[in-house]
Amino acid sequence: MPTKTRPIQRALLSVSDKTGLVPFARKLAANGIALVSTGGTRAALAAAGLPVMDISELTGFPEMMDGRVKTLHPKVHGGLLAMRGNPEHEASLLAHAIQPIDLVVVNLYPFRETVARGADYETTIENIDIGGPAMIRSGAKNHDAVCVVVDPRDYDALLAELDSHNGETRFIFRKALAAKAYGHTAAYDRAVSTWFAGATADGPQLAPENPEGIELRYGENPHQSAKLVLDPASPRIGVASARQVQGKALSYNNLNDADAAFECVAEFDAKRTAAIAIIKHANPCGVAEAGSLVDAYRAALACDPVSAFGGIVASNRTLDAEAAKAITEIFTEVIIAPDATDETIALIGAKKNLRLLLTGGLPDPRAAGFVSRTIAGGSLVQSRDNAVVDDMALKVVTNRAPNEAEMADLRFAYRVVKHVKSNAIVYAKNGATVGIGAGQMSRVDSARIAAWKAAEAARALGSEKPLTVGSVAASDAFFPFADGLEALVAAGVTAVIQPGGSMRDPEVIEAANKAGLAMVFTGTRHFRH
């Protein structure tokens, strides 16, 4: 990476916001820096008595078309883009009498302000800057040699840099300016594209190939705006790239929940088993695997039929008509699957508001990637949780080891608990969830809530015996005290899977042994906040 300091010998200034311009330019001139400028900026500098070359004198070409064309010229962009010390570039500069430009000071036409004051269409169009963003991007690309200043508040920082380094700037300083410059042009383009989206709302509906985002009706709540921002570089199959076969427009919550459902069901290898995940408010309320999709759906629904109403259903296989018919027996917002049969599409088509999304495949749960979340003043970015229970070295820590059926259910439950908000507890039996506790401040409360919901589901099925009796349980994180495990024992579990790693692991293991439970540690936590 370059580290060289660079002098500034020639500066090009072209600004709409002239705050602090004259004092700044005066100090540049005092440092022996030649000034080149355009239009109103040049007039302001000349009126202050500063020596300044008009851009037309530099290019040898007059401004034209009401100022639309003035800086779009090889003598401007050649001076900005030429790589210093590159023999070929230096020869081109010499052959075409192009003078290097070491500093570009540009802020853009006041597009946002023009829109805000309610200007007419033609006036708004005239305030879309073309030459300014081009100069900013040229200079920022060549930040090895060129400084780009887009914010008057950074004038003092540049002058201080020159004072501290004998009239030169460091690479790290130019790089920081370049990063800000690209952010500036990106925000400007976003403002323009957002205005166009409103200005063309009554025009033809084009394909939503918009990296700045597809407008949604609203966010989590009606007073919040929202967009779906596509990542064309992302290789992951999923909701963002899905084909909507039918149904009304998707909302922010629909997309968020559909993503949660599809990522959860993708934990289950479609070649091995059929699987269904039912999601409500980004949490699973029922997940099951079985020999067929319809059997998996019915088992998933039995876990919490009340919460499933108005939920999102995800399938890990091509959706068949039998499963689709069962799903449409209750109100469902969205169905998402890798594909669907023609019969299924026709059947779902009778429900005009039900959305059907087809993705063409499943996302790989082991795939690397990043997830981000904004916080006040910045963002948190982390690698995605791509740990899969099949890859973990499970360690039996109790006197009794799980039997084959328990181990299968433990693996199943750990696949699901990864997708439940923390603190998370999942009860499972025979390849289906029978109780889910999510998002509690206390792990004991999650265990108790999941058991209570399982008892309610059992009563809905006409049984007084809680579904958790004879089940296994998964915890997304360790038990800090034995009381969490004791809540599972009270619910009737026979085996437990958890990460381990607590200072009180011996106490928890002792409680498991006392109750005759089998328990395994995964060594991998699955917090999901």
Side-chain angles (χ1 to χ4, degrees):
M1 181 178 288
T3 58
K4 191 173 182 179
T5 59
R6 299 279 191 182
I8 296 177
Q9 297 175 321
R10 183 172 292 99
L12 172 55
L13 301 93
S14 181
V15 296
S16 294
D17 181 357
K18 296 178 176 57
T19 304
L21 171 66
V22 170
F24 173 61
R26 185 170 284 119
K27 290 180 181 178
L28 293 179
N31 275 282
I33 297 171
L35 306 180
V36 182
S37 193
T38 64
T41 305
R42 188 206 63 79
L45 297 177
L50 288 167
V52 56
M53 176 187 289
D54 188 271
I55 192 70
S56 297
E57 187 180 347
L58 177 77
T59 63
F61 213 81
E63 293 187 21
M64 62 172 60
M65 302 176 187
D66 299 318
R68 281 190 169 198
V69 179
K70 53 191 173 189
T71 60
L72 297 170
H73 195 280
K75 287 198 173 181
V76 173
H77 290 276
L80 290 171
L81 285 164
M83 297 171 65
R84 304 337 186 228
N86 181 303
E88 183 180 345
H89 288 207
E90 297 283 359
S92 293
L93 291 175
L94 186 62
H96 299 287
I98 298 174
Q99 300 173 327
I101 298 171
D102 312 304
L103 168 64
V104 58
V105 181
V106 174
N107 52 64
L108 305 174
Y109 291 174
F111 179 82
R112 296 180 188 84
E113 294 81 358
T114 302
V115 171
R117 63 182 169 83
D120 59 32
Y121 186 86
E122 289 73 19
T123 302
T124 303
I125 291 293
E126 285 308 308
N127 277 276
I128 298 176
D129 205 328
I130 302 300
M135 288 189 290
I136 290 171
R137 292 175 64 84
S138 289
K141 177 174 181 176
N142 198 25
H143 60 273
D144 178 51
V146 179
C147 283
V148 182
V149 179
V150 296
D151 187 343
R153 294 172 297 179
D154 293 327
Y155 291 167
D156 288 343
L158 175 60
L159 294 172
E161 178 79 2
L162 293 171
D163 286 345
S164 299
H165 298 89
N166 300 316
E168 298 191 350
T169 62
R170 296 166 298 159
F171 175 78
I172 191 171
F173 183 78
R174 298 190 299 275
K175 182 181 176 184
L177 288 176
K180 183 169 182 176
Y182 279 119
H184 186 66
T185 57
Y188 192 82
D189 286 342
R190 186 161 52 247
V192 173
S193 67
T194 299
W195 174 78
F196 263 112
T200 59
D202 57 350
Q205 297 302 300
L206 305 179
E209 191 171 324
N210 179 6
E212 294 304 322
I214 300 165
E215 293 281 353
L216 304 176
R217 281 191 302 152
Y218 51 77
E220 284 186 284
N221 300 290
H223 64 278
Q224 295 172 263
S225 61
K227 289 182 178 183
L228 168 62
V229 180
L230 304 177
D231 181 2
S234 174
R236 281 180 61 76
I237 295 168
V239 173
S241 58
R243 175 172 66 96
Q244 184 171 352
V245 175
Q246 73 132 61
K248 61 185 180 180
L250 292 156
S251 72
Y252 177 98
N253 290 334
N254 292 151
L255 290 163
N256 188 55
D257 289 351
D259 179 66
F262 206 51
E263 291 287 349
C264 180
V265 85
E267 298 284 342
F268 299 89
D269 184 354
K271 295 177 181 177
R272 181 183 63 82
T273 186
I276 291 286
I278 307 173
I279 299 291
K280 196 71 171 288
H281 296 298
N283 269 309
C285 59
V287 182
E289 59 180 4
S292 68
L293 288 175
V294 68
D295 287 343
Y297 173 73
R298 287 174 176 148
L301 181 64
C303 178
D304 190 352
V306 175
S307 297
F309 186 85
I312 311 290
V313 176
S315 166
N316 73 335
R317 287 182 175 176
T318 296
L319 190 64
D320 57 65
E322 187 179 12
K325 185 176 180 180
I327 293 169
T328 56
E329 287 173 357
I330 67 168
F331 171 55
T332 301
E333 288 274 10
V334 180
I335 301 173
I336 182 168
D339 205 349
T341 65
D342 291 342
E343 185 182 0
T344 297
I345 292 172
L347 189 154
I348 293 174
K351 308 281 186 179
K352 72 174 186 177
N353 289 330
L354 173 58
R355 294 86 150 191
L356 174 60
L357 302 180
L358 302 181
T359 63
L362 287 173
D364 179 2
R366 294 178 174 84
F370 293 92
V371 293
S372 64
R373 176 179 298 176
T374 58
I375 59 174
S379 298
L380 296 173
V381 180
Q382 64 173 341
S383 59
R384 61 179 301 274
D385 183 359
N386 62 351
V388 175
V389 67
D390 290 337
D391 301 334
M392 299 174 192
L394 303 185
K395 179 183 178 183
V396 178
V397 295
T398 47
N399 295 334
R400 183 175 78 80
N403 60 37
E404 186 176 344
E406 287 173 327
M407 183 59 82
D409 279 340
L410 288 172
R411 290 181 183 277
F412 169 89
Y414 213 62
R415 287 188 180 92
V416 176
V417 83
K418 173 182 175 181
H419 294 271
V420 180
K421 298 297 178 67
S422 302
N423 286 312
I425 294 290
V426 170
Y427 295 100
K429 183 162 54 178
N430 299 327
T433 57
V434 294
I436 299 173
Q440 298 303 306
M441 291 69 75
S442 162
R443 191 162 301 280
V444 178
D445 287 344
S446 289
R448 290 171 177 163
I449 288 171
W452 172 79
K453 290 178 75 69
E456 290 292 300
R459 278 190 281 273
L461 294 172
S463 172
E464 290 300 317
K465 182 180 179 181
L467 299 175
T468 54
V469 174
S471 70
V472 306
S475 174
D476 65 339
F478 63 62
F479 293 96
F481 299 96
D483 55 357
L485 186 91
E486 289 163 355
L488 302 184
V489 172
V493 304
T494 64
V496 176
I497 185 169
Q498 58 133 321
S502 168
M503 291 177 59
R504 294 183 174 84
D505 276 348
E507 177 185 327
V508 175
I509 293 169
E510 182 182 353
N513 283 328
K514 183 177 178 181
L517 267 60
M519 186 160 63
V520 297
F521 284 1
T522 67
T524 301
R525 190 177 73 184
H526 276 318
F527 269 165
R528 189 178 186 86
H529 291 103

